[in-house]
Amino acid sequence: MFLASLEQPAKKETAITELSGPEPKPHKVTVEEINKAISEIPLPEEPEEQSGEAFKFIDAQSFTKKKPVSVIVEEKEPEKPKPVVVGELFKTYVVAQVGDEMILMDKHAAHERYIFERIKSDAEQLETQMFLEPIMVLLSYDEYDALTANLDKVSQLGFEIEPDVAPTVAVKGVPIILGDDNPADIISELAKNFIENKLNPQIELFDDLYHSIACKAAIKANDTNSGIELQALVNAVYGQENIRYCPHGRPVMITLTKRDIEKQFRRVL
């Protein structure tokens, strides 16, 4: 019985071996089989283009070809500092800070050039302001003849003028931009300009006319202006590359850097 009990487990082990069979060998997957499997994967639909996105999608075909994923990032430009008015000198020069710079702006020269550029680029700035009663302006006879011969061009500049008893003209309206100033001086300047340019009196060549109107319309040195008005002027002029000199050639502003000022105070060498 003891021998029989020892032989039974051996028979059971043999039975298990016969049922399970030989152990399978591991199969090595080849590169060709991997590529074939990838190529059989259906491609997803291409996503619609998203406006305002800072990147673009790469389709699945790009991955099968093992191309590197590219990402396009839109770099935003750093925001430029804005001028801030900090005061005024001698009721003539506006003091403003722009980042690490200080600017001194001649308020009359800056405003004059600003108006000059707007007149040249936008005829609507020359809309006419009509007077309740005409203003009579006495000219020389030469000025009277030159002005009355060019009333159509004067009208394009926003003036409403009619000849009266020579050498007097009746001014019925002026450009709104001139405000409430007496028009006598500007009418005389217009007439003199027509005398000087009578050989080629084309309106686009009469920069002196625009200069005269801009000069009369601009704020003046020693005028009292609020901080809001000065800030509006600096905002309009600063950053305009074509506004660096007034129509007469004087600089509109000068700039001092923080380092320039600190060198004056010997804070830096």
Side-chain angles (χ1 to χ4, degrees), residues 60-92:
Q61 191 65 32
S62 300
F63 289 105
T64 61
K65 295 179 181 179
K66 299 184 179 180
K67 291 183 179 178
V69 179
S70 60
V71 177
I72 298 175
V73 179
E74 296 178 358
E75 293 185 3
K76 292 184 178 180
E77 293 184 5
E79 200 171 316
K80 295 181 179 179
K82 297 179 180 179
V84 178
V85 172
V86 296
E88 186 179 10
L89 290 175
F90 316 122
K91 298 184 75 172
T92 302

Coordinates of all heavy atoms in Angstrom, one line a residue, residues 60-92:
A60 N -3.0 62.6 -39.0 CA -2.4 61.3 -38.6 C -1.4 60.8 -39.6 O -0.5 60.0 -39.2 CB -3.6 60.3 -38.5
Q61 N -1.6 61.2 -40.9 CA -0.6 60.7 -41.9 C 0.8 61.2 -41.5 O 1.8 60.5 -41.9 CB -1.0 61.3 -43.2 CG -0.3 60.7 -44.4 CD -0.6 59.2 -44.6 OE1 -1.7 58.7 -44.3 NE2 0.4 58.5 -45.1
S62 N 0.9 62.4 -40.9 CA 2.2 62.9 -40.5 C 2.9 62.0 -39.5 O 4.1 61.8 -39.6 CB 2.1 64.3 -39.9 OG 1.5 65.2 -40.9
F63 N 2.1 61.4 -38.6 CA 2.7 60.5 -37.6 C 3.1 59.2 -38.3 O 4.1 58.6 -37.9 CB 1.6 60.2 -36.5 CG 1.4 61.4 -35.7 CD1 0.2 62.1 -35.8 CD2 2.3 61.8 -34.7 CE1 -0.1 63.2 -35.0 CE2 2.0 62.9 -33.9 CZ 0.8 63.6 -34.1
T64 N 2.4 58.7 -39.3 CA 2.8 57.4 -39.9 C 4.1 57.6 -40.6 O 4.9 56.6 -40.7 CB 1.7 56.9 -40.8 OG1 1.5 57.9 -41.9 CG2 0.4 56.7 -40.1
K65 N 4.4 58.8 -41.1 CA 5.6 59.0 -41.7 C 6.7 59.4 -40.8 O 7.8 59.8 -41.2 CB 5.5 60.1 -42.8 CG 4.5 59.7 -43.9 CD 4.4 60.8 -44.9 CE 3.4 60.4 -46.0 NZ 3.2 61.5 -47.0
K66 N 6.4 59.5 -39.5 CA 7.3 59.8 -38.4 C 7.9 61.2 -38.6 O 9.1 61.4 -38.4 CB 8.4 58.7 -38.4 CG 7.9 57.3 -38.1 CD 9.1 56.3 -37.9 CE 8.6 54.9 -37.6 NZ 9.6 54.0 -37.5
K67 N 7.0 62.1 -38.9 CA 7.5 63.5 -39.0 C 7.4 64.2 -37.7 O 6.5 63.9 -36.9 CB 6.7 64.3 -40.0 CG 6.9 63.9 -41.5 CD 6.1 64.8 -42.4 CE 6.3 64.4 -43.8 NZ 5.5 65.2 -44.7
P68 N 8.3 65.1 -37.3 CA 8.2 65.7 -36.0 C 7.0 66.7 -36.0 O 6.7 67.3 -37.0 CB 9.5 66.5 -35.9 CG 10.0 66.7 -37.3 CD 9.5 65.5 -38.0
V69 N 6.3 66.7 -34.8 CA 5.2 67.6 -34.7 C 5.7 69.0 -34.6 O 6.5 69.3 -33.7 CB 4.4 67.2 -33.4 CG1 3.2 68.2 -33.2 CG2 3.9 65.8 -33.5
S70 N 5.1 69.9 -35.4 CA 5.5 71.3 -35.4 C 4.4 72.1 -34.7 O 3.3 71.9 -35.0 CB 5.8 71.9 -36.8 OG 4.7 71.7 -37.6
V71 N 4.8 73.1 -33.9 CA 3.9 74.0 -33.2 C 4.2 75.4 -33.6 O 5.4 75.8 -33.4 CB 3.9 73.8 -31.7 CG1 2.9 74.7 -31.0 CG2 3.5 72.3 -31.4
I72 N 3.2 76.1 -34.1 CA 3.4 77.5 -34.5 C 2.9 78.4 -33.3 O 1.7 78.3 -33.1 CB 2.8 77.9 -35.8 CG1 3.4 77.0 -36.9 CG2 2.9 79.3 -36.1 CD1 2.7 77.2 -38.2
V73 N 3.7 79.2 -32.7 CA 3.3 80.1 -31.6 C 3.4 81.5 -32.1 O 4.4 81.9 -32.6 CB 4.1 79.9 -30.4 CG1 3.7 80.8 -29.3 CG2 4.1 78.4 -29.9
E74 N 2.3 82.2 -32.0 CA 2.3 83.6 -32.4 C 2.8 84.5 -31.2 O 2.2 84.5 -30.1 CB 0.9 84.1 -32.8 CG 0.3 83.4 -34.0 CD -1.1 83.8 -34.3 OE1 -1.6 84.6 -33.5 OE2 -1.6 83.4 -35.3
E75 N 3.9 85.1 -31.4 CA 4.5 85.9 -30.3 C 3.9 87.3 -30.3 O 3.8 88.0 -31.4 CB 6.0 86.0 -30.5 CG 6.8 84.7 -30.3 CD 8.3 84.9 -30.4 OE1 8.7 86.1 -30.5 OE2 9.0 83.9 -30.3
K76 N 3.3 87.7 -29.2 CA 2.8 89.0 -29.1 C 3.9 90.1 -28.8 O 4.7 89.9 -28.0 CB 1.7 89.1 -28.0 CG 0.5 88.3 -28.3 CD -0.5 88.4 -27.1 CE -1.8 87.7 -27.5 NZ -2.8 87.8 -26.4
E77 N 3.8 91.2 -29.6 CA 4.7 92.2 -29.3 C 4.5 92.9 -27.9 O 3.3 93.0 -27.5 CB 4.6 93.3 -30.4 CG 5.0 92.9 -31.8 CD 5.0 94.0 -32.8 OE1 4.7 95.1 -32.4 OE2 5.2 93.7 -34.0
P78 N 5.6 93.2 -27.2 CA 5.4 93.8 -25.9 C 4.7 95.2 -26.1 O 4.9 95.9 -27.0 CB 6.8 94.0 -25.4 CG 7.7 93.9 -26.6 CD 7.0 93.0 -27.6
E79 N 3.8 95.4 -25.2 CA 3.0 96.7 -25.3 C 3.9 97.9 -25.0 O 4.7 97.9 -24.1 CB 1.9 96.6 -24.2 CG 0.7 97.6 -24.5 CD -0.4 97.4 -23.6 OE1 -0.8 96.2 -23.4 OE2 -1.0 98.4 -23.1
K80 N 3.8 98.9 -25.9 CA 4.6 100.1 -25.8 C 4.1 101.0 -24.7 O 2.9 101.1 -24.5 CB 4.6 100.8 -27.2 CG 5.3 100.1 -28.3 CD 5.3 100.9 -29.6 CE 6.0 100.1 -30.7 NZ 6.0 100.9 -32.0
P81 N 5.0 101.6 -24.0 CA 4.5 102.5 -22.9 C 3.8 103.7 -23.5 O 4.1 104.2 -24.6 CB 5.8 102.9 -22.2 CG 6.9 102.7 -23.2 CD 6.5 101.5 -24.0
K82 N 2.8 104.2 -22.8 CA 2.1 105.4 -23.2 C 2.5 106.6 -22.5 O 2.9 106.5 -21.3 CB 0.6 105.1 -23.0 CG 0.0 103.9 -23.8 CD -1.4 103.7 -23.5 CE -2.0 102.5 -24.3 NZ -3.4 102.2 -24.0
P83 N 2.5 107.8 -23.2 CA 2.9 109.0 -22.5 C 1.9 109.4 -21.5 O 0.7 109.3 -21.6 CB 2.9 110.0 -23.7 CG 2.0 109.5 -24.7 CD 2.0 108.0 -24.6
V84 N 2.4 109.9 -20.4 CA 1.6 110.4 -19.3 C 2.1 111.8 -18.9 O 3.3 112.1 -18.6 CB 1.8 109.5 -18.0 CG1 0.9 110.1 -16.9 CG2 1.3 108.1 -18.3
V85 N 1.2 112.8 -19.0 CA 1.5 114.2 -18.8 C 1.7 114.4 -17.3 O 0.8 114.0 -16.5 CB 0.4 115.1 -19.3 CG1 0.7 116.6 -18.8 CG2 0.4 115.1 -20.8
V86 N 2.8 115.0 -16.9 CA 3.1 115.2 -15.5 C 3.1 116.7 -15.1 O 3.2 117.0 -13.9 CB 4.4 114.5 -15.0 CG1 4.3 113.0 -15.1 CG2 5.6 115.1 -15.8
G87 N 3.1 117.6 -16.1 CA 3.1 119.0 -15.8 C 3.3 119.8 -17.1 O 3.3 119.4 -18.2
E88 N 3.5 121.1 -16.8 CA 3.7 122.1 -17.9 C 4.7 123.2 -17.4 O 4.6 123.6 -16.2 CB 2.3 122.8 -18.3 CG 2.4 123.7 -19.5 CD 1.1 124.3 -19.8 OE1 0.1 124.1 -19.0 OE2 0.9 124.9 -20.9
L89 N 5.6 123.6 -18.3 CA 6.5 124.6 -18.0 C 6.2 125.9 -18.7 O 6.0 125.9 -19.9 CB 8.0 124.2 -18.4 CG 8.6 123.0 -17.6 CD1 9.9 122.6 -18.2 CD2 8.8 123.4 -16.1
F90 N 6.2 127.0 -18.0 CA 6.0 128.3 -18.5 C 4.8 128.5 -19.4 O 4.8 129.3 -20.3 CB 7.3 128.7 -19.3 CG 8.6 128.3 -18.7 CD1 9.5 127.5 -19.3 CD2 8.9 128.8 -17.4 CE1 10.7 127.2 -18.7 CE2 10.1 128.5 -16.8 CZ 11.0 127.6 -17.4
K91 N 3.8 127.6 -19.2 CA 2.5 127.6 -19.9 C 2.8 127.5 -21.4 O 2.0 127.9 -22.3 CB 1.7 128.9 -19.7 CG 1.3 129.1 -18.2 CD 0.5 130.3 -18.0 CE -1.0 130.1 -18.6 NZ -1.9 131.2 -18.2
T92 N 3.9 126.8 -21.8 CA 4.3 126.6 -23.2 C 4.7 125.2 -23.5 O 4.4 124.7 -24.5 CB 5.5 127.6 -23.5 OG1 5.1 128.9 -23.3 CG2 5.9 127.4 -25.0

